[in-house]
Amino acid sequence: MSAKALLRRELLAARRLLTAEDVELAATALARRALELPEIAEAATVAAYVSVGREPGTRALLDALRSRGVRVLLPVLLADNDLDWAPYEGAESLRKAGRGLLEPAGKRLGPDAVLAAEAVLLPGLAVDTRGMRLGRGGGSYDRVLARLAAAGAHPALIVLLYDDEVAARVPEEPHDHPVDAVVTPAGPRRFSDG
């Protein structure tokens, strides 16, 4: 088993120990802390995602952004693991999708819609002190990051995590991209001058 796979298994096991109350309290703190980052607070368009299970909660943040008039784009998983995007129109507009995900029911905007985002929130399991992110291993966000790079787009790349998921170092591969910042319930931390 690879170093990434071992670390993923360890981090997912730790998340399974969290109670629903732990997840809810962290989500409230994450929404407040994320809005402390100017890259999020001042963005007109944010590409985000709907957290599921024990992932650091995003719903309070999605609603806070939407109530501020921010255009929030949410991913729609395609059959080839790439991501299409659709606007977030409130919790009532979400529908169940494959792999336990929730997706927006609205009009699909195409995979290139992410290019309009000034901030992109990335799911992850850990980030290290250099800003290297460990994802779930599906490759969907690697495609998004490659699409952004190919288009010369430079939105702020931000990962939402629990406090103990910021590590000294995570395994990396040549295609991995560093992120600009992490937000945990304890607060935001930048890895670049963003």
Side-chain angles (χ1 to χ4, degrees):
M1 187 175 286
S2 74
K4 276 188 174 184
L6 284 170
L7 185 55
R8 280 186 188 107
R9 185 162 43 173
E10 180 182 313
L11 291 162
L12 288 169
R15 282 187 179 178
R16 281 192 293 274
L17 298 176
L18 296 171
T19 66
E21 183 181 16
D22 294 335
V23 175
E24 188 175 324
L25 289 171
T28 301
L30 275 171
R32 188 177 71 252
R33 297 302 205 164
L35 292 170
E36 292 174 7
L37 267 181
E39 294 91 331
I40 294 175
E42 298 169 8
T45 301
V46 174
Y49 61 96
V50 181
S51 58
V52 294
R54 298 285 192 256
E55 282 185 310
T58 61
R59 295 203 203 175
L61 177 57
L62 297 177
D63 289 334
L65 289 169
R66 188 166 175 261
S67 72
R68 291 172 166 224
V70 175
R71 181 176 182 232
V72 179
L73 302 176
L74 295 178
V76 177
L77 186 64
L78 299 173
D80 66 356
N81 270 359
D82 204 349
L83 298 177
D84 197 340
W85 299 88
Y88 176 56
E89 296 169 345
E92 67 285 348
S93 72
L94 298 175
R95 67 174 185 215
K96 290 184 180 188
R99 301 185 191 180
L101 300 174
L102 291 171
E103 296 177 341
K107 179 183 178 211
R108 304 294 181 258
L109 303 173
D112 285 342
V114 71
L115 301 177
E118 293 150 310
V120 177
L121 305 183
L122 305 165
L125 293 172
V127 69
D128 70 19
T129 55
R130 303 166 300 150
M132 298 307 295
R133 176 186 73 99
L134 177 68
R136 296 290 291 252
S140 297
Y141 280 88
D142 292 330
R143 292 182 188 198
V144 169
L145 295 172
R147 182 172 287 117
L148 292 167
H154 301 285
L157 303 176
I158 302 160
V159 182
L160 304 177
L161 296 173
Y162 295 108
D163 294 323
D164 60 355
E165 294 174 340
V166 179
R169 194 160 188 103
V170 299
E172 69 180 276
E173 295 173 28
H175 65 270
D176 290 336
H177 294 258
V179 297
D180 299 303
V182 62
V183 178
T184 70
R189 176 178 177 177
R190 273 195 188 80
F191 301 112
S192 70
D193 295 328

